[in-house]
Amino acid sequence: MLSVIHVLGSMLMMFSITYVLPVVTSILYDDGHLVDFVVAAIVCFGAGAVVWAVTRRYKRELRSRDGFLLVTFAWVLMSAIATVPLMLAIPGLSFTDAFFETMSGLSTTGATVLVGLEFLPPSINLWRHALTWYGGMGIIVLVVAILPLLGVGGMQLYKAETPGPMKNDKLTPRITQTARALWFVYFLITVACIVSLNLAGMGWFDAICHAFAAMSLGGFSTYDASVGHFDSAAIEAVLIVFMLIAAMNFSRHFIAWQQKSLRTYVTDVEAKAMLWLIGLSTVGLALYVWAHGFYPQFSTALRHVAFNLVSIATDCGFVSQDYAAWPVFAPMWILMLSCYCANTGSTGGGIKMFRTLVLFQQAARELRMLVHPQTVTPVRVGGQVVQNQIVFAVLAFVVLYFGAVVSLTFALLISGLDFVSAFSAIIACINNAGPGLGVVGPASNFQGLTDFQTWTCALAMLLGRLEIFSVLVLFTPVYWRK
C-alpha cells in the first residue's frame, strides 16, 4: 500500500508539468489567471513531493495487484488536484462541481456542469480541453501497455485472439517505448486535426481545443452550443473523420505509420464492424428523421444525423443539434450505439466492439448447440478462435457493466431524478459519451443535478473509464488478503 502511495507521489509531481499549457495560454492572452495556475502547479508538485519523500523508504517493485490500486487512485487523485485552478478562477464553483468537471475531462466523458463556456478565460477553457487530451492518451497507454500485465482489459484479449499485425508484431519491446510510440502517433494525428479544423474555418484557439476533445473523444467545447455554434458542414465533416480515427485502435495507427501502409486496417475486424454499424445507422436514422418532417431535405437530415450519431456512437459527445427533440427512437438508438462502437485500444469507452463481437458469436454458438448438443463449435472473431476463458471474461465484464448501470440508475431514481434522465445519464457517463437525455440532454448539461446525483455520475465515469474490473476488484475481500 505505501509503495503504491510512493508511486502516486511521483505521478503527482509529473502531473504538475501539465500546467505548462494553461500557464503559457494565460500569458499570451493576459487573462489574469496566471497566478491561479502557478499556485495549482505548486500545490500539485508540493503534495507529490511530500508524499514521495514520506514514503521513500517503502519503495519497491510493484506487483500486478498493486496496479489496480495505483490506476484507480491515480485517476481520482489527479481529478481532485486538477480542480484547484477551476475553483480559484470560477467564483462560487463548489468542489463537487469542479471534481465532476475534471473527472469528466480526464475520463474523456465530456459532460459538463459549466455554462457560459464562451465567456470563460482562455486558459481555463484550454485547461479543460487539455485534461481530456491527457486523459485520452493516458487511457490508451493504460489499455495497451499496462492493463494486459494486470490480467484485465480488452487489449489482452485483442492481442491474444485477433489476426493481423497486432497479434504477431509487438509495438516495441518495452512499455516505456510503447508509451512513447503511442504518444508520437497521438500527437501527430492531433496536429493534423488542428490544421484541418483551421482550414475548415475555425480560429486557432478553437481548433486546438476541439482537436484535443476530438482525439481524446472528450467532447468538451468552448461554446455552450458545442459544435452547433459554428454551423459549418466543413467543420463537422473534419470532426467526423477524426472522431472515427480516434475510435479505432491506436496500435493500428502506429503500425500503419511504421509500415507506411494502410494494410493493417484491412484486417481490423473491430474497425470494419464499427464503420458498417455506424454507416448503416446513419443512413437509416437520416431517412427516419427526414420522413418525420424534422428537416425539409434529406441531405440536411443526413448531415445532422451523421455528425451527432458519430459523435455519440464513438463516445465523443460533441453536439450540433438537439437530437433529443427527434422522434424518441433516434436518440435512444444513438445512445445505444455508445455502448458498443468504440474499439479496443481507442480513447472511447463502453463495452467495446471486440467484446460485442465475442458476445454475438457466443450467442450463435449456444443456439447451434441447442440443435446439435455434441457439436464442438469454437467462438471465432475475424476467423480466429477465441479461447473459452476469454469468452467467460467477456461475459463477466458485461454482467458487471449492466449491473453497474442498473445499480447507479436506481441510485439516481431514488434521489428523485426521472427515469429517462437517470438512465441516460448513467449510460452516457459509464460509456464516457457526454450528454444524455432529459434534464442532461444535448440542449442542457449536468448543472441541474444535486450533489449526490453529481457524485453518482462521477463514479459512473470512473467505472467506465477504468474498465470496471480495475475499480470493483478493490472492494473484494480477496484483494486485501495477503
Side-chain angles (χ1 to χ4, degrees), residues 232-247:
S232 168
I235 288 173
E236 292 166 16
V238 168
L239 287 173
I240 284 174
V241 170
F242 282 97
M243 285 188 292
L244 290 173
I245 290 173

Side-chain angles (χ1 to χ4, degrees), residues 97-357:
D97 286 346
F99 183 85
F100 179 92
E101 194 75 11
T102 54
M103 175 59 77
S104 180
L106 282 171
S107 65
T108 72
T109 301
T112 183
V113 294
L114 302 178
V115 293
L117 298 177
E118 50 264 56
F119 304 113
L120 288 177
S123 57
I124 295 296
N125 247 331
L126 186 70
W127 176 239
R128 295 171 61 247
H129 290 81
L131 287 176
T132 69
W133 196 67
Y134 299 138
M137 189 63 255
I139 201 64
I140 292 172
V141 174
L142 176 73
V143 173
V144 173
I146 299 175
L147 288 186
L149 302 180
L150 307 181
V152 301
M155 278 302 299
Q156 187 186 35
L157 317 184
Y158 195 86
K159 284 183 176 180
E161 304 303 332
T162 55
M166 275 304 298
K167 179 177 180 179
N168 300 317
D169 299 331
K170 293 182 180 180
L171 291 180
T172 57
R174 296 180 182 274
I175 289 178
T176 53
Q177 294 175 349
T178 298
R180 288 195 199 102
L182 292 171
W183 264 112
F184 176 70
V185 172
Y186 189 64
F187 176 79
L188 281 184
I189 301 176
T190 302
V191 170
C193 186
I194 292 171
V195 174
S196 299
L197 287 173
N198 181 255
L199 292 175
M202 270 193 190
W204 283 111
F205 180 79
D206 286 337
I208 291 171
C209 288
H210 286 83
F212 281 1
M215 289 315 303
S216 64
L217 296 177
F220 276 161
S221 178
T222 51
Y223 299 92
D224 285 345
S226 191
V227 177
H229 168 84
F230 302 97
D231 192 21
S232 168
I235 288 173
E236 292 166 16
V238 168
L239 287 173
I240 284 174
V241 170
F242 282 97
M243 285 188 292
L244 290 173
I245 290 173
M248 295 180 186
N249 191 312
F250 268 79
S251 297
R252 294 287 187 186
H253 301 324
F254 174 78
I255 292 170
W257 170 269
Q258 193 177 48
Q259 298 180 348
K260 302 297 185 290
S261 170
L262 300 179
R263 185 176 58 183
T264 182
Y265 297 110
V266 177
T267 60
D268 192 344
V269 64
E270 274 192 293
K272 288 190 287 187
M274 177 189 72
L275 293 175
W276 271 107
L277 181 57
I278 288 178
L280 293 174
S281 296
T282 297
V283 175
L285 283 192
L287 287 169
Y288 178 74
V289 171
W290 177 57
H292 279 74
F294 273 79
Y295 300 103
Q297 288 88 29
F298 174 71
S299 58
T300 305
L302 183 63
R303 168 192 164 185
H304 293 310
V305 168
F307 180 80
N308 290 280
L309 185 146
V310 170
S311 177
I312 302 303
T314 59
D315 298 320
C316 184
F318 287 138
V319 174
S320 67
Q321 296 277 295
D322 182 13
Y323 57 80
W326 296 347
V328 67
F329 173 79
M332 290 303 293
W333 182 263
I334 289 173
L335 199 62
M336 183 276 295
L337 290 178
S338 72
C339 301
Y340 306 110
C341 283
N343 289 189
T344 305
S346 73
T347 54
I351 294 173
K352 304 289 175 58
M353 183 55 73
F354 178 82
R355 292 190 181 103
T356 304
L357 295 173

Side-chain angles (χ1 to χ4, degrees), residues 28-89:
L28 290 176
Y29 284 88
D30 192 22
D31 62 6
H33 292 281
L34 174 61
V35 174
D36 296 338
F37 284 102
V38 171
V39 168
I42 292 172
V43 169
C44 184
F45 184 86
V50 169
V51 169
W52 181 87
V54 169
T55 57
R56 182 174 51 183
R57 57 180 173 173
Y58 299 102
K59 181 180 178 180
R60 63 169 173 79
E61 192 74 23
L62 294 182
R63 298 167 295 177
S64 293
R65 60 182 289 152
D66 296 325
F68 299 107
L69 197 62
L70 178 61
V71 166
T72 303
F73 274 20
W75 241 264
V76 173
L77 197 56
M78 285 190 290
S79 296
I81 206 76
T83 64
V84 174
L86 295 182
M87 296 180 69
L88 290 175

